[in-house]
Amino acid sequence: MNLNQQIECWLTSCKHDLKKKDRPFITLAYAQGLDGSITTRQGNSLGLSGKHSIQLTHQLRSLHDGILVGIETILADDPQLTVREWQGNNPQPIVLDSQLRLPPTAKICKHPDKTCWILSLSEDKENIHDIAKILAFESENQKLVPLDKAMKKINEMGINSLMVEGGATVITAFLNAKIVDAVVITITPWLIGGYKAVSNLDETSLSQLPSLNSLRYGTLEEDLIIYGRLKYGEVLAC
Ligand SMILES: NC(=O)c1ccc[n+]([C@@H]2O[C@H](COP(=O)([O-])OP(=O)(O)OC[C@H]3O[C@@H](n4cnc5c(N)ncnc54)[C@H](OP(=O)(O)O)[C@@H]3O)[C@@H](O)[C@H]2O)c1
């Protein structure tokens, strides 16, 4: 089996093992340089992955019901979040966007077969319902979308597996919420000295920090792919 087949088998079996948790199975998948940077500066767009790693990303998208990014990633990269470099279905695009900043010109609003879902704290903005489906949540701190409620809601709406593609604020929030089940990280040969994928985790002790359970790896051209189930201390997320 080549690496793409190995990752697909592994992910399929991980998803199968998931015990019902009132949320989807969650895979974190992103690309970083050797030093952990995902881009040069926050808000800059940087195409890090090689051709084969991009194919893997599209394959991973096709293996999930939904794909989620933060609004800053939409504003910086304007991604389509579709499956173009692999054969398979497009996942449901979902954006964390508390204040409904999604621009109507975003490519995600011109998706070929799905209306984008916005996880938000607000419902009312002129014409927003023409471009997206708004799922509004109440939040205790009124700043960010509560991930527990949002994951429960999208699970009820049929999203049983979710790929989280970034950016850093979202990656860190999912890790802090301890709801990441699996990780696929593409490590590219660059030293970027830029904006890091993970920062400010709430835990400080090694015994509580997230780590990969039985780390697996392989290479695609010059990129190293590291993947595995995530555990927090001794406990697997699912
Ligand atoms: N290399 C890669 O694989 C990769 C992948 C993706 C992105 N990127 C890069 O990452 C950068 C963007 O990352 P970023 O850290 O600035 O932003 P981000 O993670 O894309 O988006 C963060 C924003 O999402 C909103 N949000 C709402 N609820 C949230 C919650 N519960 N938790 C976290 N965020 C929530 C917040 O904005 P509101 O307060 O307005 O709601 C927050 O500021 C860009 O430069 C992009 O190019 C790289």
Side-chain angles (χ1 to χ4, degrees):
M1 277 201 284
N2 65 27
L3 186 63
N4 294 72
Q5 292 165 329
Q6 287 172 31
I7 292 177
E8 181 156 343
C9 275
W10 161 77
L11 193 58
T12 304
S13 109
C14 287
K15 287 193 288 187
H16 182 74
D17 288 351
L18 176 74
K19 295 178 187 72
K20 196 72 185 137
K21 280 260 185 184
D22 279 345
R23 65 165 174 82
F25 179 92
I26 297 177
T27 307
L28 204 54
Y30 58 89
Q32 64 169 55
L34 281 177
D35 62 343
S37 304
I38 57 168
T39 184
T40 47
R41 298 284 172 269
Q42 183 175 20
N44 282 3
S45 187
L46 187 70
L48 272 176
S49 304
K51 186 169 159 248
H52 288 89
S53 304
I54 292 172
Q55 283 176 343
L56 173 63
T57 299
H58 285 231
Q59 178 187 11
L60 290 172
R61 288 177 181 177
S62 77
L63 296 171
H64 292 83
D65 299 327
I67 181 162
L68 179 144
V69 295
I71 181 63
E72 297 293 349
T73 294
I74 297 289
L75 298 176
D77 299 347
D78 196 13
Q80 299 182 56
L81 303 180
T82 52
V83 178
R84 303 181 305 282
E85 305 293 333
W86 200 259
Q87 287 227 315
N89 293 331
N90 290 322
Q92 171 63 50
I94 305 171
V95 182
L96 275 168
D97 178 13
S98 317
Q99 310 305 325
L100 299 179
R101 290 190 285 145
L102 179 76
T105 50
K107 287 187 185 138
I108 205 177
C109 301
K110 298 173 181 67
H111 195 283
D113 52 76
K114 299 204 174 1
T115 301
C116 174
W117 295 356
I118 308 291
L119 309 179
S120 181
L121 296 179
S122 160
E123 256 186 299
D124 49 343
K125 187 181 161 193
E126 210 180 336
N127 298 333
I128 190 81
H129 297 278
D130 297 343
I131 58 166
K133 179 178 180 63
I134 312 302
L135 306 175
F137 299 89
E138 288 189 0
S139 162
E140 277 158 28
N141 66 18
Q142 286 301 315
K143 285 186 183 152
L144 294 173
V145 176
L147 291 183
D148 51 350
K149 290 182 193 167
M151 293 303 103
K152 184 170 190 290
K153 179 70 183 170
I154 64 169
N155 193 209
E156 286 166 1
M157 292 171 70
I159 304 297
N160 292 315
S161 58
L162 179 72
M163 174 167 162
V164 174
E165 240 184 63
T169 308
V170 165
I171 292 169
T172 303
F174 272 79
L175 289 172
N176 272 329
K178 301 191 174 178
I179 54 175
V180 178
D181 299 296
V183 175
V184 182
I185 302 178
T186 298
I187 301 184
T188 67
W190 310 99
L191 288 157
I192 300 166
Y195 186 47
K196 301 287 188 290
V198 182
S199 58
N200 299 326
L201 288 185
D202 295 340
E203 301 288 355
T204 51
S205 122
L206 254 194
S207 63
Q208 294 302 317
L209 286 166
S211 65
L212 287 194
N213 190 46
S214 65
L215 178 150
R216 297 152 191 252
Y217 63 92
T219 54
L220 288 174
E221 296 172 295
E222 295 191 334
D223 296 342
L224 173 66
I225 314 295
I226 292 189
Y227 60 104
R229 290 277 296 274
L230 205 70
K231 62 175 182 176
Y232 296 86
E234 294 303 313
V235 184
L236 283 169
C238 64

